[in-house]
Amino acid sequence: MSVQQYDEIGEAFEGFKSLPLMRYGEVPSFLDMVGDVSGRSVLDLACGTGFYSREFRRRGAADVFGVDISVEMIAAAREIEQRDPLGARYEAGDVAELRPLDRRFEIAVGVQCLNYAENIAAMERMCRNIHRSLVPGGEFFVLAQKPDYRFDCPTLDKYGFRCEPTGEAIETGPRVRVTALLDPQPISIVTTAPRREVYEECLRATGFSELKWVPLQVSEAGIREFGEDFWVDLLTKPPLEMLRCRA
């Protein structure tokens, strides 16, 4: 399910990062949580078209390797790399079946990654493969749909997105339809909002520790652009949440 829907998006996925929620919320919050990557090695899981891979290289990461299950997403990432070489490497692959890599990384990131696990066993496989790919003490940073997100909040349309329950659920949590309100053609993706305990139990079962949930913030640039009142609904009931832990 997730492979096909992302294959159909391709490089249009880059447009997501221009929407207010992404540009002033997700991106600065996630980069701030990851922190200084200078001289460090980064494994970018569910890398999509390579947005964060490129950003980490710009920020001085010594080695960045991106993996995504969508062949089309990887093709787009490689094409962008050819147009503007930064030295990021990419490979198509399923995180749940991730092959042993040729090195261990100091940092792994998973933006909208673990929430695509079709069941708890698949999420455990993902976590185990990620743990195996990190050096001892390496850090893993996660961003995904907020666990326990309630859909009784004001619309997110003004932030560029719509988030709706599909009415279905799987073992890990409820299905969610996320629509990026891109012009001229909105793009919808169906994902899952796993329960908080599912994340925590899968990560701990596979060797991760020091788990800490980190709230989404809005950058100073976003407040300057739109004003504080504009962001009240988003910050009161944010649709995204982050998590950090250590191998």
Side-chain angles (χ1 to χ4, degrees), residues 89-223:
R89 302 177 293 127
Y90 301 101
E91 179 178 298
D94 183 350
V95 177
E97 308 298 335
L98 187 66
R99 69 173 179 83
L101 302 177
D102 56 4
R103 67 167 300 173
R104 288 190 172 191
F105 293 79
E106 295 166 277
I107 295 171
V109 300
V111 175
Q112 304 290 6
C113 175
L114 297 182
N115 47 307
Y116 282 103
E118 288 297 319
N119 50 50
I120 291 173
M123 188 182 288
E124 283 197 2
R125 288 198 304 274
M126 286 181 171
C127 294
R128 189 170 294 108
N129 291 337
I130 296 164
H131 190 279
R132 181 192 65 203
S133 302
L134 284 167
V135 299
E139 293 181 282
F140 179 35
F141 300 93
V142 176
L143 183 141
Q145 304 307 118
K146 182 179 176 66
D148 315 315
Y149 179 69
R150 309 298 180 190
F151 297 93
D152 58 352
C153 52
T155 176
L156 299 173
D157 286 26
K158 64 181 177 181
Y159 308 118
F161 283 85
R162 192 169 295 147
C163 190
E164 306 160 300
T166 67
E168 303 171 307
I170 61 173
E171 185 181 23
T172 60
R175 291 284 199 194
V176 180
R177 179 176 293 102
V178 178
T179 302
L181 302 176
L182 296 169
D183 185 27
Q185 182 64 46
I187 295 175
S188 290
I189 295 169
V190 175
T191 180
T192 306
R195 299 182 302 279
R196 199 172 300 273
E197 66 269 19
V198 171
Y199 283 114
E200 294 176 356
E201 290 170 6
C202 288
L203 286 164
R204 289 195 175 105
T206 53
F208 286 99
S209 62
E210 300 180 31
L211 276 65
K212 180 181 179 182
W213 291 95
V214 181
L216 197 75
Q217 302 291 336
V218 172
S219 68
E220 292 182 4
I223 293 173

